[in-house]
Structure formats: C-alpha cells, structure tokens
Amino acid sequence: GENVEQHPSTLSVQEGDSAVIKCTYSDSASNYFPWYKQELGKRPQLIIDIRSNVGEKKDQRIAVTLNKTAKHFSLHITETQPEDSAVYFCAATGSNYQLIWGAGTKLIIKP
Amino acid sequence: DSGVTQTPKHLITATGQRVTLRCSPRSGDLSVYWYQQSLDQGLQFLIQYYNGEERAKGNILERFSAQQFPDLHSELNLSSLELGDSALYFCASSVRGAETTRDTQYFGPGTRLTVL
C-alpha cells in the first residue's frame, strides 16, 4: 500500500548546526509534499511545501528538496534555534487526494 | 491562528459513553478532515468530508462516525468509548480537497479526549 517513511525518528543537534529530515514515498503519482511542525500540545502547522514541478524551495532558514526519480524529499533547517525544537511531519499525496503522513521526527536543539 | 475552530478543548468521560466533537472550518473551505493522535504518536487519518459528502475514509473504527452539515461545520461522534480512545483529535480544513491533490490542510487546535 501507499506509505511514507520518515527518518530519523529523533534528531538531536547543537544550536546553530543544521538539521536534515528525510522522507521516502511509495506512490510515483504523488505530486504535493508538505512539511508540518508540531510543538508540544499544539496543532500541526504547515512550514513549507513543495510541488512536483520544482526540485527545491527555500524560505529563510528552511528548505525542502525533492528527488522524484528516487521518490524522496528532505527538510533542511539551517542555523537551528531553540524554538525549532518540535516534532516534524512530512506527507505526500496519495491516490485518493489524501495525504499519506510520515511517522514524525522529534527534533531536539541542544543549547 | 489557522481559522479552524474546535470545541470543546478538553473532554473527560467514562468508558462506554458517547461524545461529539465539533469543528468549524476556515471561511470558504469546503473540505474537513479528522485525525486522531495518541500520546507521542503520529497523525492517523480518520475521515474526510467535502461539501457535505463523505470523500474518503481512513482508519476509522465502526464506533466512530462523522458528518458535515450544510453550513460546512463537522461533527465527529465517538461511541462505546474505550480507554484506548483517549487521544488528541484534530480537524483540518482545506479549500477543495477533492478536485486537486495539492490542497493545503489547516489544522484546528484539537480536542483532548480522556476516557477514564
């Protein structure tokens, strides 16, 4: 069936360093790939998304890259700050207009 | 603030009971999605409604049901509650969600359900 694998499940980085979270999807027809950030006890919030007609998108310290051939996409956060600590979810569109979600990555920023 | 509202914020009830969670989508959004998130777990898609009609089903139990009303608000009904139903329940809305595969979903603040 359709699935999205997300790695790592937990990522701990030093403040100021970069963080990379990777997702692999199974449906070659997927064409929309959002990333959501969820702080403890809060709602998931969209932080960046990419559509299949582009390979990379940047928004300040956040970037997403997409490799359709390999069916994977990644979130890159540079110059990490304490407020980046959260759980990050990737997702990809499935066959019925649904989003197939990754299991989440807990990002810990060490001071 | 995403513009999606959910009530109540917290709900504490006993096993075997029935509860109703309510969601109002962003103004103009036609699709509503319901998700369940158990402690330290991911987002489990339950069901989607588009303009009043059921659009897609995920891992929704038979004890759970939902509907979307003419004013586009939605309710999720959970019956014969079990301890394992304790979770955060989110709804999300999007503009379309049926004609396009690239619709952004905006999440509400969630309802925390505790079953004792």
Side-chain angles (χ1 to χ4, degrees), chain A residues 5-76:
Chain A
E5 292 188 3
Q6 183 172 348
H7 299 282
S9 57
T10 303
L11 178 60
S12 184
V13 302
Q14 206 70 39
E15 182 179 347
D17 289 349
S18 296
V20 181
I21 303 170
K22 299 181 180 181
C23 289
T24 304
Y25 60 98
S26 59
D27 186 353
S28 57
S30 294
N31 60 5
Y32 174 60
F33 309 89
W35 285 89
Y36 284 79
K37 174 184 180 182
Q38 186 180 27
E39 297 176 1
L40 191 62
K42 302 277 184 70
R43 76 186 81 194
Q45 291 188 289
L46 180 74
I47 54 171
I48 196 166
D49 57 13
I50 192 167
R51 289 163 170 80
S52 60
N53 55 339
V54 297
E56 182 174 359
K57 182 176 178 181
K58 287 185 73 172
D59 183 4
Q60 299 183 335
R61 296 186 297 108
I62 294 173
V64 56
T65 58
L66 172 64
N67 183 328
K68 288 220 77 181
T69 303
K71 292 193 281 187
H72 66 71
F73 56 112
S74 300
L75 177 71
H76 305 253

Side-chain angles (χ1 to χ4, degrees), chain A residues 92-100, chain B residues 33 35 45 48 55-56 97 105:
Chain A
T93 45
S95 60
N96 195 23
Y97 306 108
Q98 296 309 301
L99 285 177
I100 312 299
Chain B
Y33 310 78
Y35 291 89
F45 168 67
Q48 178 202 359
R55 184 68 180 82
Q105 293 185 24

